[in-house]
Amino acid sequence: MTQEAGLMRGAACDRPVVRGTERRATARALAGEHGGVVHRTTLAEHGIDRFGVRNEVAAGRWFRVGRHTVAVGSPEIGVVAQWWRAVWESGSGARLDGASALLAAGMTSFETSVIDVTLPKTSRTYPLQGVRRHLPRVTPAVTGSGIPRVGTEIATIHAAQWAATDRQAALLICLPMQQRLTSAPRLQLAWRSVHRSARRTLLDAVITDVTDGAQSLGELDFTRLARKSGLPPPSHQAVREGPHGRVYLDVSWDDVGLVVEVDGGHHLLALNPIDDALRQNDRVTAGERMLRIPVIGLRLVPDRFMLQVRHTYDALRIEAGRRHAARSRSSG
């Protein structure tokens, strides 16, 4: 007798068998806690034995969507039900990991075509379409209540490591921070515990960018990029007098009135976007041109952003030259 059969038989012996309308109402309530699916063992614990399951499936009211998983009402199951099915069907001790764990924790603005599940290395695993299994040497602990999932910080790092591209990896570092699913100290602490990563150089940079702000890129780095783009050396931390006191600008070319602000991850949090907009508008009304560059963008696609800077600088220089020529003619 299998362990599952033993559990179901024991549960059936402890509870009277539930039939008919009551059986279906009980199953609907149980499935409602898991997005429309329920584990066969849970059914047995509530007096619904394998014969009851068989009868409901034969009647077309319930559907087997795995060895352990029963869908109540429809065989088309949603995202939450797919997460539970992945955990129940992949093997003992399975838990959501990576982007799947982040989505289960509440992350938005991201979709994934595969469900990542981590299991203890000693578990007997079962392949499941649409599910990617991971068996690390040390299994991350389960956190929170509800569906089993690894902690947000480890899930964030795993999601970035398993991402299809570097751009997607950076996005999966940014989203949990921007949506306040984690904090800079917790993410940094988790990253320091990681000893092996195929994307270590990239993630070192991106995590620093997101948690430390624009200063993480460094003034020398921007100057190097500017020089590579054929631009003259800019001024750094230039001081301007604004309506509400002094402001310090990241980068500027005062000869043409061009300002570049490099925004770290903290610029998207709380009321920072309002402060940034006010500061930018103050500079524009003062007659300067301002470009904003997310530090992650400068890390991932520096050539595209620096091309924009170069084109803007050249256009402003030409405009400044025309004004100078016009003044010379009028004075002559």
Side-chain angles (χ1 to χ4, degrees):
M1 181 184 299
T2 65
Q3 182 180 7
E4 179 196 359
L7 287 171
M8 293 181 68
R9 181 174 178 179
C13 292
D14 293 339
R15 293 178 178 271
V17 174
V18 176
R19 302 184 185 280
T21 303
E22 183 182 356
R23 176 171 64 204
R24 291 187 283 276
T26 299
R28 281 196 301 272
L30 295 171
E33 300 175 0
H34 306 95
V37 294
V38 61
H39 198 290
R40 290 170 66 93
T41 301
T42 304
L43 290 173
E45 290 171 350
H46 287 78
I48 303 173
D49 60 16
R50 59 191 178 93
F51 300 107
V53 174
R54 184 183 64 187
N55 291 340
E56 296 297 332
V57 170
R61 290 185 285 264
W62 300 354
F63 305 87
R64 293 189 180 96
V65 291
R67 295 179 304 116
H68 307 299
T69 311
V70 176
V72 176
S74 171
E76 302 298 325
I77 60 177
V79 174
V80 174
Q82 291 175 26
W83 292 338
W84 282 104
R85 175 176 175 263
V87 168
W88 290 338
E89 302 292 335
S90 294
S92 177
R95 69 231 31 209
L96 296 182
D97 202 342
S100 302
L102 295 176
L103 292 169
M107 186 178 76
T108 60
S109 303
F110 188 81
E111 295 181 356
T112 179
S113 59
V114 65
I115 298 175
D116 283 301
V117 169
T118 288
L119 303 96
K121 194 173 183 63
T122 56
S123 294
R124 180 178 180 182
T125 64
Y126 300 88
L128 193 65
Q129 185 175 3
V131 175
R132 182 167 54 185
R133 294 164 295 150
H134 306 271
L135 288 88
R137 184 174 56 84
V138 178
T139 310
V142 173
T143 188
S145 58
I147 189 165
R149 59 181 177 85
V150 307
T152 299
E153 292 73 40
I154 294 299
T156 298
I157 293 168
H158 286 173
Q161 290 176 326
W162 302 334
T165 64
D166 286 351
R167 184 183 182 89
Q168 187 182 83
L171 175 64
L172 286 165
I173 293 292
C174 292
L175 287 177
M177 282 288 296
Q178 292 169 0
Q179 297 174 17
R180 300 197 171 189
L181 299 178
T182 186
S183 66
R186 294 202 301 266
L187 186 58
Q188 290 171 330
L189 184 62
W191 177 237
R192 285 199 292 269
S193 71
V194 176
H195 302 295
R196 298 175 60 187
S197 173
R199 283 194 167 109
R200 175 161 294 280
T201 300
L202 173 73
L203 297 186
D204 263 336
V206 171
I207 289 173
T208 301
D209 291 339
V210 170
T211 55
D212 285 352
Q215 293 79 9
S216 61
L217 188 67
E219 295 181 2
L220 293 178
D221 291 320
F222 191 91
T223 300
R224 175 181 54 80
L225 292 171
R227 186 184 303 113
K228 183 180 177 182
S229 301
L231 290 161
S235 300
H236 294 275
Q237 295 297 306
V239 180
R240 299 286 192 275
E241 292 295 336
H244 302 286
R246 288 184 176 182
V247 290
Y248 295 86
L249 307 176
D250 290 339
V251 176
S252 67
W253 284 269
D254 295 340
D255 57 325
V256 297
L258 174 60
V259 174
V260 176
E261 288 285 271
V262 182
D263 295 337
H266 66 285
H267 282 263
L268 297 177
L269 300 177
L271 299 180
N272 288 340
I274 296 176
D275 295 335
D276 290 341
L278 288 170
R279 186 162 74 159
Q280 176 170 338
N281 293 346
D282 284 340
R283 300 324 315 149
V284 172
T285 56
E288 292 182 300
R289 184 79 63 87
M290 178 178 280
L291 298 178
R292 307 199 75 90
I293 304 177
V295 68
I296 300 299
L298 198 58
R299 183 74 66 185
L300 294 176
V301 285
D303 292 344
R304 293 178 61 183
F305 279 109
M306 294 309 298
L307 184 61
Q308 292 179 335
V309 176
R310 174 62 193 267
H311 284 172
T312 305
Y313 177 87
D314 289 345
L316 290 174
R317 186 179 59 179
I318 292 171
E319 183 180 333
R322 288 172 177 169
R323 288 198 301 267
H324 178 74
R327 285 195 298 269
S328 298
R329 288 194 298 270
S330 63
S331 63

